[in-house]
Amino acid sequence: MRISDNRALAQASAQAQKDNVPLLALFVLSPQDYTAHDRGARRIDFTLRNLRYTKSSLEKLHIPLYTTSHTPRTTIPQYVLSLLRQWNTTHLFANIEYEVDELRRDIKVCELAEEGGNVTCHYVHDKCVIPPGQVLTKQEKPYSVYSPFLRAWMTHLTPSPPEDDPLACAPSPAANDPSVRQHSIFDRLFDQPVPEEVEGFTLRDPDERERMRTCWPEGEDVAKEMLRRFLCTATRSSQMGAVDPLADGAVAPSKNPSKASRVGKYKDARDKVDADTTSRLSPYLATGVISARECIRATLELSENKNRRIDVSRETGVGRWVQEIAWRDFYTHVLALFPRVSMGRPFQEKFAGVRWEAEALENHLQAWKDGRTGVPIVDAAMRQGLAMGWMHNRVRMVAAMYLVKDLMIDWRLGEKHFMEILIDGDLASNNGGWQWSASTGVDPAPYFRIFNPYTQSTKADPTGEYIRYFVPELAKVRGPELHNPPSALANKLGYPRPLVNHDEARKRAIRRYKNPGDE
């Protein structure tokens, strides 16, 4: 979904230049895959907007982007090969997608191409900084614990010659000859528009559509500027609700930029949901609008990084942020190398039999989705997700663990809901986060370590501004009562009472996890 630092596009361009043929770009929309993967209308709208941006950028280079839609998904390989035959294509380049269905699809494309004999397929690692399968234990096994994975991952960032630099920027594509626009076949490819919507994934509410476009503008230039502001400008007042990430007000710190910038404060302030403390680049990374490599390279250009050293330290804001990029790689490696996690299975199979609530399921699940659990920090998080299509990572964890451990509702239902409403829905990261909260995944929170949502609330939202903004019933409440309103106050303000007693729910969760299958 980008032109710069796109490895498949760069290699395709090089091949086209070598063979003296035009470069063509193809994107196939697959509604059945979106349904199977719980993609929401917000994510699809963001994809379409970025496709239109990319099409416009490529057309300046006389490169057509042909966007089409196809069902059923099972015949996408045959459909792609039919297009390649129409265009007399000799090489197909694509970036690898690591989900099981997508891998099977692309393997079939390769098989059909080999049978036909006219097209050579090239699938390229691009999503991760270090590709899956390269970060292994001494026993040549994939990691299932983050800390040793991080240590091994770090060593791959600075390879010894003649190994390729994993952070190297892939060159932008060369322009086609303008005469391609008069070609008897290729000229019509320029006329194929990117659709305004995909049936079944339409943002029908005009206010919601406008809100998503305000919060998450499309385009590589937007993502690059958001990255620059995160690394080089000071924190602003809290950026909650429908706020343009490129609005005026972002200025460079006047003193000590290494500590006063947003990334400089990231180490100590990253978990504060009431402040402007994160990059908010997750939608752009998930959709491929910016590469993870570019994010790390940008940290090398900071004025205070005179030695151009890759910082992965726990002691600095930059290091902590680069570690978050490593987490993204980690969860993608897990998805690729332990494919059962993308099939609804827990990584820790011993917890497959944990007994989930059935009697109160429907009412409690809907209350959680609506942000009406009676726990302010959870409700604020869920309402933020509904309003912005995005949540701060800290409250994602709090809301997820509340659903699983307090309400004892199957984590897969929460995973599905997040994919449906969040604009940065990414199967690997979303699954990894949910399985962490449910204590069923790689490197999980131990089942007996259960967040107290009221304690988490005071830590994550010490000023209370986050709760007051997203839970207007509590807009005038100050002090400790904001985080855990007494019954009389909640009743007076029309705020719901808690669905469960946390202490009792905690004991129930520990009992059921200790002996999966027991009541």
Side-chain angles (χ1 to χ4, degrees), residues 470-491:
F470 286 109
V471 186
E473 303 98 299
L474 305 178
K476 296 183 179 180
V477 180
R478 296 291 188 275
E481 292 185 341
L482 175 68
H483 302 281
N484 187 5
S487 298
L489 178 61
N491 292 339

Side-chain angles (χ1 to χ4, degrees), residues 244-513:
D244 182 349
L246 301 187
D248 293 341
V251 296
S254 57
K255 297 180 180 178
N256 201 355
S258 64
K259 293 184 178 179
S261 65
R262 284 163 63 192
V263 74
K265 294 186 176 182
Y266 188 78
K267 170 182 173 287
D268 297 319
R270 68 189 185 281
D271 288 335
K272 298 293 188 290
V273 296
D274 58 347
D276 181 30
T277 56
T278 63
S279 72
R280 299 199 181 185
L281 282 169
S282 56
Y284 300 88
L285 285 164
T287 313
V289 179
I290 193 170
S291 75
R293 297 182 297 275
E294 179 164 0
C295 292
I296 296 179
R297 287 197 305 269
T299 68
L300 303 179
E301 302 298 327
L302 295 174
S303 59
E304 60 270 21
N305 191 354
K306 295 181 172 58
N307 297 323
R308 290 181 57 83
R309 180 177 61 87
I310 300 171
D311 186 352
V312 196
S313 166
R314 294 173 58 88
E315 304 307 317
T316 66
V318 168
R320 282 285 191 175
W321 189 63
V322 172
Q323 284 192 21
E324 292 301 318
I325 297 174
W327 268 108
R328 182 176 177 274
D329 264 23
F330 177 57
Y331 281 143
T332 303
H333 286 217
V334 169
L335 181 83
L337 302 173
F338 300 98
R340 67 178 181 272
V341 302
S342 67
M343 302 177 187
R345 298 299 304 174
F347 182 84
Q348 305 279 352
E349 286 286 355
K350 65 184 178 181
F351 292 127
V354 169
R355 183 182 178 91
W356 305 111
E357 279 300 292
E359 186 176 340
L361 169 62
E362 188 171 333
N363 290 338
H364 282 187
L365 178 61
Q366 193 59 52
W368 176 80
K369 289 180 178 181
D370 294 341
R372 295 194 58 79
T373 67
V375 179
I377 192 67
V378 173
D379 292 343
M382 300 307 296
R383 296 186 197 188
Q384 181 182 34
L386 292 171
M388 296 180 63
W390 178 88
M391 296 181 200
H392 189 289
N393 188 59
R394 170 53 55 173
V395 291
R396 291 189 199 211
M397 297 162 64
V398 174
M401 192 170 287
Y402 179 82
L403 181 77
V404 177
K405 302 289 182 62
D406 280 54
L407 301 183
M408 283 307 297
I409 291 177
D410 191 331
W411 57 271
R412 283 160 285 221
L413 297 175
E415 178 191 20
K416 174 181 171 66
H417 181 64
F418 273 19
M419 285 295 290
E420 290 173 341
I421 70 164
L422 299 182
I423 203 167
D424 63 359
D426 173 83
L427 180 56
S429 295
N430 191 50
N431 179 273
W434 272 97
Q435 292 222 46
W436 183 90
S437 295
S439 302
T440 61
V442 290
D443 203 6
Y447 73 83
F448 50 80
R449 187 174 299 163
I450 299 173
F451 282 169
N452 181 318
Y454 306 110
T455 303
Q456 289 291 321
S457 183
T458 59
K459 292 179 179 178
D461 187 19
T463 66
E465 289 302 315
Y466 177 78
I467 292 173
R468 281 190 287 270
Y469 183 89
F470 286 109
V471 186
E473 303 98 299
L474 305 178
K476 296 183 179 180
V477 180
R478 296 291 188 275
E481 292 185 341
L482 175 68
H483 302 281
N484 187 5
S487 298
L489 178 61
N491 292 339
K492 178 182 177 182
L493 298 175
Y495 182 66
R497 302 276 291 276
L499 298 174
V500 295
N501 177 283
H502 171 68
D503 292 334
E504 294 175 1
R506 180 179 181 278
K507 293 174 183 176
R508 177 181 64 180
I510 291 174
R511 183 175 68 249
R512 291 191 183 181
Y513 270 86

Side-chain angles (χ1 to χ4, degrees), residues 153-170:
W153 182 83
M154 290 164 52
T155 65
H156 288 270
L157 298 180
T158 51
S160 302
E163 296 177 3
D164 293 335
D165 179 3
L167 298 177
C169 181

Side-chain angles (χ1 to χ4, degrees), residues 24-99:
L24 314 176
L26 169 66
F27 194 97
V28 180
L29 299 163
S30 177
Q32 288 186 347
D33 277 308
Y34 303 152
T35 298
H37 297 333
D38 302 317
R39 288 278 172 88
R42 294 166 169 182
R43 173 70 189 275
I44 300 306
D45 176 72
F46 189 61
T47 296
L48 295 175
R49 288 192 281 123
N50 279 289
L51 278 171
R52 286 191 284 274
Y53 180 96
T54 302
K55 178 178 175 64
S56 175
S57 299
L58 286 172
E59 284 185 346
K60 295 173 184 176
L61 302 173
H62 309 294
I63 299 171
L65 170 59
Y66 185 80
T67 301
T68 182
S69 182
H70 183 79
T71 55
R73 63 176 180 155
T74 53
T75 61
I76 284 178
Q78 291 86 346
Y79 177 64
V80 169
L81 265 295
S82 72
L83 292 175
L84 300 187
R85 283 193 295 271
Q86 291 177 35
W87 302 335
N88 296 317
T89 304
T90 54
H91 293 268
L92 172 68
F93 291 81
N95 292 316
I96 297 173
E97 295 180 89
Y98 301 105
E99 295 85 354

Side-chain angles (χ1 to χ4, degrees), residues 129-147:
V129 178
I130 308 297
Q134 289 192 14
V135 184
L136 301 172
T137 67
K138 292 179 180 179
Q139 292 75 37
E140 297 294 304
K141 302 288 186 182
Y143 285 95
S144 59
V145 177
Y146 175 72
S147 295

